[in-house]
Amino acid sequence: MSDGRIGDVLLKVEGVTLSFGGVSALSDVGLEVRRGEICAIIGPNGAGKSSLLNVINGVYDPRRGSVTFRGVRRRRMRPHETAKQGIARTFQNIALFKGMSVLDNIMTGRNLKMRAGLISQAIYWGRARREEIAHRMAVERVIDFLQIEAVRKVPAGRLPYGLQKRVELARALAAEPELLLLDEPMAGMNVEEKQDMCRFILDVNDEFSTTIVLIEHDMGVVMDVSDHVVVLDYGRKIADGTPDEIRNDPTVINAYLGVAHA
Amino acid sequence: MDWSFFFEVLIGGLLAGVMYSLVALGFVLIFKASGVFNFAQGAMVFFAALIFVSLHEKGWGFPSAAAATLTAMVLLAFFVERFVLRPLVNQPSISLFMATIGLAFLIEGAAQGLLGAQVHGLDIGIPDVPVQVRGINISRFDLFAAAFAALQVALLAFFFSKTRIGRALRAVADDHQAALAVGIHLEHIWVVVWTAAGFVALSAGILWGCRTGVQFSLTFTALKALPVLILGGFTSVPGAIVGGLLVGASEKLAEVYIGPKIGSGIENWFPYVLATVFLLIRPEGLFGEKRIERV
Amino acid sequence: MIYREAGQFKATYEKDQQIFPIRQDRIVFAGVLIAGFVLVPLIGNDYWFNAILIPALILSLATLGLNILTGYAGQLSLGTAGFMAVGAFAAYNLMLRVPHMPVLASFFLAGLVAAAVGLAFGLPSLRIKGFYLAVTTLAAQFVIEWALTKFGWFSNYNPSGVISAQKMVILGYRFESPVRRYLLTLGVVSLLALAAKNLVRSRVGRSWMAVRDMDVAAEVIGIPMLKTKLLAFGVSSFYCGVAGALWAFAYLGSVEPQAFDLTRSFQILFMVIVGGMGSVLGSFLGAGFIVLLPIFLNVAAHSLFSGGVSQSLASNLELMVFGALIIFFLAVEPAGLARLWQTGKEKLRVWPFPH
């Protein structure tokens, strides 16, 4: 699948080491993600996949190592900064704002693009009003894309699990990110929902050329959707390559089947 | 620099701090076992003291007045568990906290409504004659209070670590669900805890009452226990003691040494500002546990 | 049947985003405004203005302020009355020391002063959360009370720290009579309520709610923590400051720092809880409820115990009822009277059918 869709390196992670108290979450992990590709991170539970996303995103501060995004190399960017740079993400346990409506949740995704000052918002005239309308239109496009029109006024906390995941994805998309980090976007979904989600992810990559890094457990999905697969186990990278290469890699098979190793 | 004066103020402050510690102990007990921050602890102190002193004034002897008050505190514990804790069981802790603010008002209103709003003096027979140690005056009463507090802490420590109920309390504090899974009745535990807190409140109330008289302002003085907990950590019994001593000593010293420069009455806010500064440096207090937020 | 949305379609986002999308709501609100500005001045008596309407309106404003900070932004504060005090004393001093200071401008500037103080005490909120923050706001409350009492300059060296608010004269009109003070208060409060409503449905309001609901996720989206929290403290304190100024100028006439003590802070917190956290309407409902409650209790006590009850018993009963109410609302309807109102409207929508 190496067509013109995939470009040069957008994200580079080098030598990242992270630990909590005495527990080591990541040891010397590195990978490269190319512009326009869909990269899947897989591995048994507790392998450190979410922690890796959290490091890329600036939520965790690694003890060692660096993250290079768009050519700029840092040990850590603050989460707010990563958002500004064009990284958006979803969380394993759904980090929606439960007290707000779906529409408002997705509108928060546009937050960085809105400039109107406090007074303008208080009077709701001029710039603030224009921005509200303009960004509402952008948000409606995302709502349309993910087919959640029917629930746009419902408080997010009241939605069923599958829809909540979709709303979270919508919020991430509303920011028009260059890099999208998805943490188990299909966890807890049935077959139909998974198919929908797969289609959405592929569409996002196709229509908006968004680079996607996703954590996923379902091997079928991983093989179908990704261009590039990275395998983690006990905080270390044990394999890195195309889906076919990974499928046949003995180290990976051992890790999943739990053959005793040091 | 008059050292003997300094030590007098310091020791006076430390001993006053013991009082704060006693009130804070009640907070810690409840927080440790149920995760509820009981704003009404001060009101409970007032309530207990008021009942005790009213009975005493009617001619009851100390032991019977104490027994009757303790019974009242047990009843209060049942009431709180049934009408405050149970209805609010699934709500976020901030809601429970605000409910205890409501509870504080409820208890105060009930106490004053039933027993009147006059100030009561209280005397439990310890003469307030100062003891002289190396030229420093120390109040005999304060020493008694300190000894009493130490005894309470020792009893509580023993209770928590050695008895069956104490173990159950620690289990509940750690993980409600798991405790349920091993068959611990949460409601019983909570009644026990609030009763224990009630006992602590009574002793604090008696001691405070002797010092400053039993009156409404007792509830607000108890607010000072909050900075104590911040300094000492919300879940630590030794922390409550150390925190109390720190707050007591520092506020007295501040009043005496900084007060003349910027105006008196510093004790009203000094502990809170101290707590704020402390929180900025170490949000979990001296003895508290650091919480790691996982996303 | 009367309360239906059928037939009311919105063809533009603008129409969809207005404050009252349903026509019946707009009519009712217009009615309320007319009643407030026209009817009440005509038929109201002085007692109602002085003892009920004016304080209820001013406290609604303070409740709105606290609601912004605690209900929308999720930052618990027990120092509300302190910021009111700052506003009151700031307005007094501005009128006293600045020649030709217009009254309304002094209120506005007083609000800004209160906002500045609020910002200062709000800085710790970056590192401190939940009820730890409540303790920090207690520090604010006590420090402000102490400072205003201790430093005579604030009260122009009055021995008890009392300030006597100057008379309000705007464009030649004297606002001294109860009716005029009521209209002035109503005007100021209405404007600020509109501003608040606009703020909470704009970007800043969403940022506040995001911080309240899940601050880690909010940061990840790009919502700036510091700025958002400080704005909450600033705007909230502004509202409380203006409310404090109104309390001194339009309600009491003369006031001392103790009028803005911890009990007052609790009272306003209760109004937020009863009215509904995170609701503009709730702020008004809660304030009205708590202001009317003692009067209602008094009347009830008089009819139950002929001859009434002693003053102290009455005030203790009040305490108990307040306390019980808080627990009740938190347990049964944490979203307060505003949610009850919403539920009522939903039922009305399908009336006369049950669901």
Side-chain angles (χ1 to χ4, degrees):
Chain A
M1 268 200 275
S2 57
D3 35 330
R5 182 170 59 95
I6 299 185
D8 52 356
V9 173
L10 176 67
L11 172 75
K12 184 152 77 160
V13 175
E14 290 170 288
V16 161
T17 304
L18 175 73
S19 53
F20 296 111
V23 181
S24 168
L26 294 170
S27 302
D28 199 27
V29 173
L31 57 85
E32 281 183 8
V33 178
R34 294 177 166 277
R35 213 178 273 274
E37 79 172 1
I38 299 181
C39 170
I41 302 184
I42 67 176
N45 277 325
K49 311 188 289 292
S50 286
S51 302
L52 181 58
L53 285 194
N54 282 337
V55 166
I56 296 174
N57 205 193
V59 176
Y60 290 159
D61 186 6
R63 225 173 355 123
R64 275 201 299 278
S66 70
V67 175
T68 309
F69 183 68
R70 282 208 201 148
V72 181
R73 181 186 195 174
R74 289 171 253 245
R75 199 187 84 230
R76 181 204 190 176
M77 268 193 287
R78 296 245 143 224
H80 176 207
E81 187 60 35
T82 60
K84 270 197 192 156
Q85 291 288 321
I87 303 182
R89 79 171 276 186
T90 65
F91 291 85
Q92 199 171 3
N93 293 317
I94 304 190
L96 278 183
F97 306 123
K98 302 264 162 90
M100 288 196 253
S101 69
V102 165
L103 187 58
D104 278 339
N105 261 279
I106 307 176
M107 284 287 263
T108 63
R110 305 286 297 176
N111 193 283
L112 278 173
K113 305 191 192 296
M114 299 177 90
R115 290 264 166 273
L118 192 66
I119 305 293
S120 175
Q121 290 176 65
I123 312 177
Y124 199 67
W125 200 253
R127 192 176 211 178
R129 189 180 193 157
R130 283 195 302 270
E131 275 189 349
E132 285 287 312
I133 310 291
H135 289 288
R136 170 79 188 264
M137 286 201 241
V139 164
E140 287 288 339
R141 280 198 293 272
V142 174
I143 289 179
D144 189 45
F145 180 76
L146 287 176
Q147 296 165 1
I148 42 180
E149 299 93 333
V151 295
R152 58 158 95 70
K153 293 281 171 84
V154 177
R158 283 205 225 153
L159 291 174
Y161 186 80
L163 273 176
Q164 282 191 1
K165 280 223 160 260
R166 238 195 269 180
V167 173
E168 221 201 344
L169 179 61
R171 186 181 66 187
L173 288 179
E176 292 169 16
E178 272 201 58
L179 175 63
L180 187 56
L181 305 174
L182 302 175
D183 198 340
E184 300 201 30
M186 296 180 228
M189 288 187 177
N190 61 35
V191 172
E192 266 181 41
E193 290 171 329
K194 276 197 189 180
Q195 284 178 347
D196 284 340
M197 200 48 124
C198 260
R199 184 165 43 89
F200 288 136
I201 292 177
L202 285 171
D203 282 347
V204 166
N205 177 252
D206 193 33
E207 270 189 55
F208 307 118
S209 312
T210 314
T211 311
I212 299 180
V213 173
L214 79 151
I215 296 178
E216 187 45 58
H217 278 296
D218 184 328
M219 280 309 130
V221 168
V222 170
M223 295 301 153
D224 276 342
V225 154
S226 28
D227 304 309
H228 169 196
V229 179
V230 171
V231 188
L232 294 183
D233 188 26
Y234 284 105
R236 289 176 193 283
K237 183 171 84 168
I238 60 173
D240 185 337
T242 68
D244 283 327
E245 289 166 6
I246 298 300
R247 196 205 307 264
N248 298 315
D249 185 327
T251 336
V252 174
I253 299 174
N254 283 343
Y256 271 98
L257 289 180
V259 171
H261 51 91
Chain B
M1 175 70 172
D2 183 357
W3 283 108
S4 59
F5 178 64
F6 171 78
F7 276 112
E8 224 173 82
V9 175
L10 176 66
I11 294 184
L14 284 173
L15 293 172
V18 166
M19 307 287 225
Y20 291 139
S21 304
L22 278 178
V23 181
L25 261 182
F27 277 107
V28 168
L29 280 177
I30 293 181
F31 192 80
K32 247 173 117 80
S34 56
V36 175
F37 187 82
N38 178 24
F39 194 85
Q41 189 67 25
M44 284 163 70
V45 169
F46 173 62
F47 183 63
L50 195 53
I51 296 182
F52 182 81
V53 100
S54 305
L55 289 176
H56 181 55
E57 280 178 357
K58 286 207 168 51
W60 293 46
F62 284 135
S64 28
T69 313
L70 290 176
T71 319
M73 298 314 279
V74 172
L75 286 173
L76 179 66
F78 271 105
F79 172 83
V80 168
E81 192 278 318
R82 180 66 190 81
F83 291 107
V84 180
L85 294 180
R86 237 190 271 180
L88 283 151
V89 74
N90 284 321
Q91 302 236 18
S93 47
I94 220 83
S95 296
L96 274 164
F97 172 62
M98 293 197 279
T100 58
I101 300 183
L103 183 63
F105 275 68
L106 186 58
I107 295 179
E108 273 165 37
Q112 282 191 162
L114 289 173
L115 301 164
Q118 331 85 286
V119 178
H120 301 265
L122 183 57
D123 178 14
I124 55 173
I126 314 277
D128 203 7
V129 176
V131 163
Q132 272 248 358
V133 176
R134 293 206 209 180
I136 305 172
N137 283 320
I138 303 179
S139 155
R140 189 170 294 195
F141 181 80
D142 283 349
L143 278 176
F144 171 77
F148 190 70
L151 179 64
Q152 285 219 315
V153 171
L155 277 175
L156 280 171
F158 176 80
F159 176 69
F160 270 114
S161 52
K162 298 284 187 255
T163 65
R164 195 173 61 114
I165 294 189
R167 261 200 303 282
L169 278 172
R170 280 187 290 144
V172 169
D174 216 32
D175 189 334
H176 285 185
Q177 302 277 52
L180 275 173
V182 298
I184 296 177
H185 276 142
L186 280 181
E187 298 90 41
H188 296 174
I189 293 298
W190 286 336
V191 172
V192 169
V193 169
W194 280 72
T195 307
F199 288 11
V200 172
L202 175 58
S203 54
I206 293 179
L207 290 172
W208 267 116
C210 289
R211 267 185 143 245
T212 58
V214 179
Q215 49 182 316
F216 181 73
S217 61
L218 212 51
T219 40
F220 283 137
T221 319
L223 273 181
K224 289 256 181 80
L226 288 173
V228 169
L229 288 166
I230 288 176
L231 290 180
F234 280 71
T235 51
S236 161
V237 168
I241 306 300
V242 173
L245 294 177
L246 271 173
V247 168
S250 61
E251 88 175 354
K252 281 289 180 299
L253 287 171
E255 181 70 39
V256 168
Y257 286 100
I258 309 180
K261 300 199 177 87
I262 52 176
S264 59
I266 294 195
E267 343 181 76
N268 286 341
W269 51 262
F270 189 79
Y272 298 97
V273 173
L274 183 65
T276 305
V277 169
F278 209 80
L279 278 173
L280 291 171
I281 307 171
R282 198 182 152 89
E284 62 278 353
L286 279 171
F287 293 86
E289 302 128 13
K290 226 182 178 116
R291 311 187 85 230
I292 304 179
E293 257 191 88
R294 303 218 67 169
V295 188
Chain C
M1 288 304 175
I2 25 171
Y3 194 71
R4 270 185 311 154
E5 281 170 78
Q8 299 183 36
F9 297 109
K10 311 289 178 297
T12 65
Y13 294 130
E14 265 194 77
K15 283 280 185 304
D16 193 44
Q17 302 203 140
Q18 54 190 306
I19 294 180
F20 295 108
I22 303 178
R23 195 189 319 123
Q24 288 88 335
D25 282 336
R26 287 200 287 279
I27 298 176
V28 168
F29 187 67
V32 167
L33 281 180
I34 295 176
F37 278 98
V38 176
L39 270 183
V40 170
L42 288 175
I43 63 175
N45 63 37
D46 281 3
Y47 171 71
W48 268 84
F49 290 130
N50 279 328
I52 298 176
L53 288 170
I54 296 180
L57 279 172
I58 300 178
L59 288 174
S60 302
L61 188 60
T63 308
L64 199 47
L66 181 58
N67 223 332
I68 287 176
L69 185 58
T70 300
Y72 284 99
Q75 313 295 307
L76 182 58
S77 166
L78 295 176
T80 319
F83 299 122
M84 286 177 77
V86 172
F89 278 74
Y92 168 74
N93 278 287
L94 282 166
M95 294 284 284
L96 184 69
R97 299 168 200 279
V98 177
H100 307 303
M101 164 76 44
V103 170
L104 289 178
S106 78
F107 288 171
F108 181 75
L109 289 171
L112 288 180
V113 173
V117 174
L119 280 175
F121 279 104
L123 282 169
S125 70
L126 266 207
R127 290 204 57 170
I128 307 176
K129 298 185 184 172
F131 35 68
Y132 293 107
L133 190 63
V135 177
T136 309
T137 57
L138 275 180
Q141 171 71 39
F142 291 134
V143 169
I144 293 175
E145 237 184 292
W146 172 84
L148 289 175
T149 320
K150 264 311 123 156
F151 298 113
W153 184 86
F154 291 117
S155 55
N156 206 19
Y157 301 102
N158 177 294
S160 357
V162 175
I163 54 169
S164 300
Q166 296 85 344
K167 297 284 174 241
M168 300 185 285
V169 181
I170 302 176
L171 296 178
Y173 278 108
R174 308 191 62 125
F175 283 83
E176 261 178 279
S177 66
V179 187
R180 293 209 175 169
R181 282 185 283 118
Y182 159 75
L183 281 171
L184 176 68
T185 309
L186 184 61
V188 171
V189 172
S190 304
L191 274 175
L192 286 177
L194 177 62
K197 185 68 184 173
N198 283 334
L199 280 178
V200 301
R201 64 193 179 117
S202 305
R203 168 174 57 102
V204 81
R206 285 189 295 266
S207 309
W208 286 335
M209 290 192 275
V211 166
R212 172 196 70 192
D213 285 347
M214 200 174 277
D215 50 3
V216 181
E219 260 203 287
V220 163
I221 297 181
I223 294 174
M225 273 301 109
L226 178 58
K227 198 162 152 209
T228 306
K229 287 187 181 179
L230 285 183
L231 263 179
F233 272 97
V235 172
S236 166
S237 309
F238 176 83
Y239 274 67
C240 295
V242 174
L246 281 172
W247 196 254
F249 280 74
Y251 177 48
L252 286 181
S254 62
V255 79
E256 69 282 353
Q258 288 67 41
F260 302 111
D261 63 0
L262 188 63
T263 315
R264 172 86 50 210
S265 291
F266 280 134
Q267 183 193 37
I268 300 175
L269 180 63
F270 287 178
M271 292 176 180
V272 169
I273 295 175
V274 167
M277 291 209 269
S279 161
V280 171
L281 174 64
S283 310
F284 287 88
L285 293 177
F289 187 84
I290 300 258
V291 165
L292 287 173
L293 188 63
I295 300 174
F296 178 74
L297 282 179
N298 219 355
V299 169
H302 268 274
S303 49
L304 280 177
F305 312 101
S306 51
V309 292
S310 71
Q311 179 57 31
S312 60
L313 183 58
S315 50
N316 284 318
L317 265 175
E318 234 180 83
L319 280 178
M320 289 180 69
V321 172
F322 276 141
L325 264 177
I326 293 299
I327 299 175
F328 175 77
F329 267 98
L330 282 169
V332 170
E333 185 51 90
L337 291 171
R339 171 61 57 83
L340 286 177
W341 173 257
Q342 280 282 72
T343 317
K345 285 207 305 187
E346 313 253 302
K347 290 247 158 25
L348 193 55
R349 254 190 190 160
V350 293
W351 181 81
F353 302 108
H355 58 261

